[in-house]
Amino acid sequence: MRNSSSELFAKAQRVIPGGVNSPVRAFRSVGGEPFFVDRAAGAHIWDVDGREYIDYVGTWGPAILGHAPRVVIDAVRDAAARGVSFGIPNPYEVEIAELICRWVPSIEKVRMVNSGTEATMSCIRLARGCTGRDKVIKFEGCYHGHVDSLLVHAGSGALTHGRADSAGVPEKLAGMTIALPFNDCEAVRAAFQNNRGEIAAVIVEPIPANAGLYFAQPGFLELLREQCTAHGALLIFDEVMTGFRVARGGAQELYAITPDLTALGKVIGGGLPVGAFGGRAEMMDQLSPEGPVYQAGTLSGNPLAMAAGLAQLRELERIDGWKLLEQLGASLENAIREAVREVDLPLTFHRIGSMFCLFFTHGPVTDLATAKRSDTQAFARFFHECLRRGVYLAPSQFETGFISTAHTEQDLDRTAEIMRDALRVACR
Ligand SMILES: Cc1ncc(COP(=O)(O)O)c(C=O)c1O
């Protein structure tokens, strides 16, 4: 007899902290227990209890073609037949680096790593190494992985784990991070004025998607670019979430802003553990073995991961995935807005391309403070009503939903119907 989700979770909690390998999976902010996945295909997931869900988590972003797309599975199978890891350069690494440099013009050289966290961590080290300065500006609610220096007023799971920041981050290190409200131009100007010659970098999610989803007001990202240039600091775009998702060249293409360094992850790995960071050649050449900034990885450039990423990126381009995702996103948005109009609840819906979020608050939502006005209990009720009816959303108000190219109009119609029913119950 196979274990049920509940039995597996009970076992997991005995041997894995909280029963999960990443906190938000534990459903703590919505209550209840997580389900365990048996298999996934396209836009659908089946759990070990035999239930089926339309999935809008998409393995937290990577599954832009849906689950188990044939091109990725074939590429991984072919690569695995030649050996799963070498620790010696392999041709896939060159191919993917060339593709990234072609698609993201601000990147002249790129290094592959194994996660988004490694990518942002390496950007920070490189920025400090290049500038000889220590301080970093980040924005409240932006999440850049579980890097010590960046776990200050962070979003995503760090926002709902019950304390402002993480234990275990030395105060002295946290003190080198200046956390500012997103969209606050005056705060940025003041931080540069008050820390003249000390700021190594500004790191930002150009489309913040880890405290729900909200957007830069006109001029904000431009101001970051201008201030960094004026003060000799580097502008780091964390495009772990947005890279290859909102456009072929990421958010920097959409907003026409050139960062100095870019962190990538998620979509780039086709569902395997991959991150990358890149920028101008002269800066990237400060990395070991060319330069003094050390960075390395046993499994970096792993052939399976590179093959999966390449296959996913090429397929996205072949099918003009970004256009399709915009069409699907617009359909879902229309249907959700209609459902929202029918209920008497303060709701704010945000979408860009295939990313979306429904806040349980009146708008406008423009930063962490306004996102936190959401009624998280109403969200939790909505989440469970959706789940019960077969729609899997991220188990937290402070996350973003993802549509894949595998979602069909039928999936979206069904989702809107379910959300309409769930909203009626949630607002009772
Ligand atoms: C914007 C952003 N940066 C960095 C990370 C960290 O990536 P990883 O979880 O692969 O370490 C995430 C993860 O959600 C993210 O959303």
Side-chain angles (χ1 to χ4, degrees), residues 115 204 325 389:
S115 68
V204 65
L325 289 167
R389 292 168 168 81

Side-chain angles (χ1 to χ4, degrees), residues 25-208:
R25 294 180 203 168
F27 279 29
R28 290 280 169 93
S29 66
V30 288
E33 291 188 349
F35 60 87
F36 280 64
V37 177
D38 178 42
R39 70 192 167 88
H44 293 238
I45 284 180
W46 289 263
D47 68 15
V48 295
D49 312 302
R51 280 190 289 263
E52 180 178 348
Y53 307 93
I54 307 173
D55 176 30
Y56 291 95
V57 180
T59 184
W60 301 96
I64 197 164
L65 298 174
H67 293 284
R70 172 124 318 272
V71 285
V72 173
I73 301 299
D74 287 348
V76 171
R77 194 176 284 130
D78 283 356
R82 293 160 194 264
V84 296
S85 175
F86 312 123
I88 300 168
N90 67 73
Y92 296 118
E93 295 172 84
V94 187
E95 279 181 62
I96 201 161
E98 285 176 344
L99 184 147
I100 295 165
C101 293
R102 213 167 43 245
W103 287 12
V104 188
S106 72
I107 299 182
E108 292 172 354
K109 287 194 177 180
V110 60
R111 183 159 280 175
M112 306 307 296
V113 291
N114 305 286
S115 68
T117 295
E118 264 189 76
T120 58
M121 177 187 78
S122 305
C123 282
I124 296 293
R125 184 177 307 143
L126 183 55
R128 285 175 166 153
C130 286
T131 59
R133 303 171 178 179
D134 292 337
K135 291 189 181 169
V136 171
I137 293 178
K138 79 173 287 284
F139 295 94
E140 293 163 359
C142 283
Y143 177 67
H144 304 292
H146 60 100
V147 182
D148 278 352
S149 311
L150 300 176
L151 266 186
V152 180
H153 294 281
S156 191
L159 192 59
T160 50
H161 86 139
R163 24 192 329 159
D165 300 307
S166 174
V169 175
E171 239 172 72
K172 279 195 182 131
L173 200 55
M176 289 175 205
T177 304
I178 301 167
L180 304 177
F182 190 78
N183 270 328
D184 189 336
C185 293
E186 266 324 297
V188 173
R189 284 197 193 93
F192 270 107
Q193 284 302 335
N194 297 336
N195 296 276
R196 275 195 169 275
E198 291 185 278
I199 310 283
V202 172
I203 185 166
V204 65
E205 290 182 70
I207 301 172

